[in-house]
Amino acid sequence: MRTPVQGLAHARGCLKTGACAVPCLDERMRSAVGGDWRMRVAISKLAHAALCRDWRMRNTVSSIAHAQCGSKRGTCLVIFPGSREERSRSEHNLINIQKTHERMQTENKISPYYRTKLRGLYTTAKADAEAECNILRKALDKIAEIKSLLEERRIAAKIAGIYSDAEPPRKTMRRGVLMTLLQQSAMTLPLWIGKPGDKPPPLCGAMPAAGDYVAKPGDKVAARVKAVDGDEQWILAEVVSYSHAANKYEVDDIDEEGKERHTLSRRRVIPLPQWKANPETDPEALFQREQLVLALYPQTTCFYRALIHAPPQRPQDDYSVLFEDTSYADGYSPPLNVAQRYVVACKETKKK
């Protein structure tokens, strides 16, 4: 059996890897509470609510918030200064829980005092986790607001023909720079963090857009266009405008080599995901194994038909996909990684 220190360390490790912390907590409860099954069940339920749901959510939200802020931790603290205090308070309560279990094991019995104390400690731990989650959710909303303002400025500058040093004119953008920007866009795509019971919204992972959804100027989409040779292909494009009268989009090829603007009907445009889906909490919002999709082929700006080889296992993971490729005996390429940002549903039928 693990000692209380080992058990708590293991529980934290489980939370970081997405595993449930209740088994290791139950192990400690059983040794401390003994045959009092009512007490054991009550504490286990509190532990499950406080640790499994709220602390895992807290750690996920916290990591995403810091990732969205960038590498400078100080920037995050400016945006949500209360997170440090909430984290400190919750850590202090964790230490109190650990010490209480140590005393119970030393005395080899549980008294009404310890029962009451443990109930209070776990209830407080749950409340602390929820409070920190609320602060971090507000921070994520603020970060999204900042990113939206920056995108609006970029679009306005593009329309005015003014480009910043960070994004030079399309005619001077090198291929390597474009690929780097696409990779950064995939990495900074926000992870959807819902409250308990919330369902993933449209455009979260594999969730389709609502029927009346219209992509905004600047949004990235998969667009079906005619190539120079007359064949049709799906390309990565940016929305310029949408005509409600004609029900058509104007989109620009994201690739500098295209230098073309296309006018397309809605059925030829597929909006890209606006949030990553968390495999640990919302696996239903991900494409599943052997599902047919359109995926951006690595180091290109074109989407091709592919089968899902393996969905992401963690929030930061990519899809593993098998592209249709007649140069291979089985008709599919070896597995290649593609970010959630660049995988969309394919309405066409699977090849024979």
Side-chain angles (χ1 to χ4, degrees), residues 223-227 231-235 251 253 262 264 268:
R224 189 172 186 177
V225 302
K226 283 190 176 182
D231 292 337
E232 293 191 335
Q233 60 181 358
W234 287 95
I235 65 169
V251 302
D253 187 342
H262 305 272
L264 305 170
R268 288 178 168 266

Side-chain angles (χ1 to χ4, degrees), residues 99-321:
K99 289 181 177 178
T100 301
H101 280 288
E102 289 174 351
R103 294 192 193 101
M104 290 167 58
Q105 282 196 329
T106 301
E107 297 178 12
N108 199 25
K109 66 177 182 178
I110 183 167
S111 65
Y113 166 76
Y114 282 132
R115 294 182 185 182
T116 303
K117 185 174 182 178
L118 279 175
R119 284 194 183 100
L121 286 173
Y122 278 114
T123 301
T124 301
K126 181 175 181 292
D128 287 345
E130 288 174 343
E132 188 176 352
C133 266
N134 289 334
I135 290 175
L136 294 175
R137 287 180 193 280
K138 291 178 181 178
L140 288 173
D141 290 342
K142 182 63 67 176
I143 293 167
E145 183 181 339
I146 293 171
K147 292 178 70 175
S148 177
L149 289 172
L150 291 174
E151 180 67 9
E152 289 177 7
R153 290 177 57 186
R154 184 189 70 82
I155 295 171
K158 178 181 176 181
I159 294 174
I162 304 171
Y163 295 86
S164 65
D165 293 337
E167 186 177 355
R170 288 160 64 98
K171 64 181 181 181
T172 63
M173 187 180 294
R174 296 180 180 178
R175 186 76 175 180
V177 174
L178 176 60
M179 294 299 109
T180 300
L181 290 175
L182 296 183
Q183 185 178 16
Q184 290 175 349
S185 176
M187 291 177 62
T188 58
L189 186 68
L191 181 71
W192 186 75
I193 306 291
K195 295 181 179 179
D198 286 353
K199 294 186 179 297
L203 295 181
C204 172
M207 305 300 289
D212 58 351
Y213 177 80
V214 174
K216 302 183 299 295
D219 283 357
K220 304 299 187 294
V221 297
R224 189 172 186 177
V225 302
K226 283 190 176 182
V228 178
D229 57 6
D231 292 337
E232 293 191 335
Q233 60 181 358
W234 287 95
I235 65 169
L236 180 61
E238 181 177 301
V239 174
V240 177
S241 64
Y242 177 76
S243 170
H244 289 276
N247 284 329
K248 289 188 177 182
Y249 284 101
E250 277 197 336
V251 302
D252 280 343
D253 187 342
I254 201 71
D255 194 336
E256 63 171 358
E257 296 175 357
K259 298 179 182 177
E260 287 188 50
R261 179 161 295 179
H262 305 272
T263 301
L264 305 170
S265 62
R266 291 183 62 173
R267 64 185 179 83
R268 288 178 168 266
V269 174
I270 303 176
L272 298 190
Q274 295 183 353
W275 297 276
K276 283 187 284 191
N278 188 342
E280 298 169 357
T281 57
D282 304 297
E284 72 279 9
L286 292 167
F287 295 110
Q288 299 304 310
R289 181 177 173 83
E290 296 189 355
Q291 192 167 352
L292 183 65
V293 297
L294 289 173
L296 194 72
Y297 198 89
Q299 299 302 308
T300 76
T301 58
C302 291
F303 290 84
Y304 297 97
R305 290 157 52 103
L307 291 181
I308 298 296
H309 177 65
Q313 300 300 308
R314 299 172 300 172
Q316 66 271 29
D317 289 348
D318 296 335
Y319 283 101
S320 175
V321 305

Side-chain angles (χ1 to χ4, degrees), residues 23-55:
C24 44
L25 283 168
D26 263 345
E27 188 177 342
R28 290 167 55 198
M29 300 297 177
R30 192 173 294 109
S31 63
V33 182
D36 190 339
W37 63 271
R38 292 184 184 86
M39 181 63 187
R40 203 162 64 223
V41 170
I43 295 177
S44 180
K45 286 182 178 179
L46 280 173
H48 187 278
L51 293 177
C52 261
R53 187 191 70 187
D54 296 305
W55 288 350

